[in-house]
Every structure is written in C-alpha cells, then in structure tokens.
C-alpha cells in the first residue's frame, strides 16, 4: 500500500443500539484522535433509543409537546452542537457519524453535505427509489417527504462529527411530537413505507459502507 493510500483509509465501527449521550461522548473522543492524526477517517454506524435532538439552528418552538411528556414516553430531549433544527432518532433508523478530516478530501463543509446526500441518494437508488435533494434544505427526499436528515459539525481542525439519520423501519408516528427539521410543509417517510418489504438494517449498513468509500474515495481499513 502506498503512503497516499494509507492516508485515505476508513475505519468503520458498527455499534448497534447506543444511548445518544454515550455516542456523543464517543464522537468527541474520536474527533480528538482524528484531529491529532492518531486514527484514520472513521464512520460510526448505529441506532439510538428514542431521542429528540435540537441543533444550533433550532429551538423549542418546533417541539410540539412538553419535555415532561417526552420523559413520560421514555424519550430523551438533548440540545447538541451540530447544525440544523430539531430531529428525532429512534429504533429502526440508521444513524451515521463520519469523523473525517475534510481537508484530506479537498472539500469545504457545504460540499461535504452534498457528498453525504449523494451517499444516501445512491443507496436509495439501489432499492429502486428515486431520491433527490430539495432546494433550500439539507437532507434527502423521496417525492415530497424527507427520508434522511443531515446535520454536521466541523471543529477548528476541519474534523467532522454528527452526520446523517436514514429512516429504515423507524416509527414515523414519533415525528408527530416535532416539526421535523423545522419544516412545516412537508412530511417524513421511511424505506418501510416506500418498499413492499423493508430491508434489514444490516443490509442497509453494508450497502452504505460500500457507497460511502466510493463517494469519498477511501479504502476500507478492515471488513466491517
């Protein structure tokens, strides 16, 4: 392997169900390591238990129920340091946290967002779905409904955290507690809603890894 190839490796961590706060702490640890160049680019794939997160662009005005009501349902409400407004995470949703050095890819943050969208668009095409970007918004849409939310952060060293959330078999009723991403006029959807048979999360994970390394021109460090 050449030096250039070694610098373009991707480590993938598939963690299953993980509490949001624990995952956030893991991201901070990985960002610190990537900033110090002690680890390669890393993609963390997981699910969260029911959690509502509010990004830097959001506020409680798009939360349609009381925090106490969420607590009674067993759902967490957390203000986080990513971009974007309020969103929902829950079982059946594939969440991806890329910890990447953007400068290694010659990209700025806006282009990085478009690349994340491209990964999801190409993934959905493999399931026969025509997905698209929606002018003026970040994320991926099928028809008039959003299927993947994207919200990221980049530190002063150009290392990313947070990422994307793709609805696979997510219970869409849980989005009724919020105005998803602060967008009033459009709904949300999932692979389970759009396909005759929903794919297994493991299948979606393996496909997204393959597409991710192609879009970002990386080499898989080890089998995921």
């Amino acid at each position: 392997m050449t030096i250039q190839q070694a610098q373009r490796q991707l480590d993938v961590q598939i963690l299953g169900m993980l509490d949001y706060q624990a995952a956030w702490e893991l991201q901070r640890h990985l960002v610190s390591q990537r900033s110090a160049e002690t680890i390669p680019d890393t993609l963390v794939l997981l699910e969260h238990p029911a959690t509502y997160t509010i990004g830097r662009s959001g506020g409680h005005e798009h939360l349609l129920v009381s925090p106490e009501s969420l607590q009674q349902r067993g759902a967490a409400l957390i203000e986080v340091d990513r971009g974007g407004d309020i969103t929902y995470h829950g079982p059946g949703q594939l969440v991806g946290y890329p910890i990447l050095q953007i400068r290694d890819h010659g990209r700025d943050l806006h282009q990085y967002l478009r690349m994340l969208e491209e990964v999801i668009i190409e993934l959905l095409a493999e399931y026969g779905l025509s997905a698209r970007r929606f002018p003026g918004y970040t994320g991926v849409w099928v028809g008039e409904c959003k299927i993947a939310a994207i919200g990221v952060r980049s530190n002063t060293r150009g290392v990313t955290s947070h990422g994307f959330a793709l609805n696979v078999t997510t219970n869409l009723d849980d989005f009724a507690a919020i105005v998803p991403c602060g967008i009033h006029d459009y709904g949300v959807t999932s692979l389970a809603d759009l396909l005759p048979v929903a794919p297994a999360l493991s299948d979606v994970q393996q496909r997204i890894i393959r597409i991710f390394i192609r879009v970002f021109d990386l080499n898989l460090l080890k089998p995921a």
Side-chain angles (χ1 to χ4, degrees), residues 120-132 142 147 190-191 194-195:
I120 303 296
I121 289 169
E122 292 189 19
L123 169 77
L124 296 175
E126 292 195 359
Y127 290 111
L129 297 172
S130 178
R132 65 186 178 99
V142 178
I147 192 168
S190 67
L191 283 169
L194 297 169
L195 298 175

Side-chain angles (χ1 to χ4, degrees), residues 166-224:
L166 171 66
N167 298 324
V168 181
T169 59
T170 320
N171 182 358
L172 301 181
D173 290 342
D174 289 327
F175 284 93
I178 61 174
V179 179
C181 303
I183 302 172
H184 290 271
D185 299 328
Y186 303 97
V188 293
T189 190
S190 67
L191 283 169
D193 259 21
L194 297 169
L195 298 175
V197 179
L201 200 68
S202 58
D203 181 71
V204 180
Q205 286 173 337
Q206 293 305 316
R207 289 173 186 255
I208 214 160
I209 292 166
R210 172 169 45 79
I211 295 168
F212 192 94
I213 62 176
R214 182 173 72 244
V215 169
F216 284 89
D217 190 24
L218 291 163
N219 303 289
L220 194 60
L221 182 63
K222 59 180 182 292

Side-chain angles (χ1 to χ4, degrees), residues 33-34 43 53-54 70 99 132 144 172 184 189 221 223:
Q33 290 183 306
R34 187 68 188 95
L43 175 62
T53 63
I54 302 175
L70 294 183
I99 312 297
R132 65 186 178 99
E144 298 296 298
L172 301 181
H184 290 271
T189 190
L221 182 63

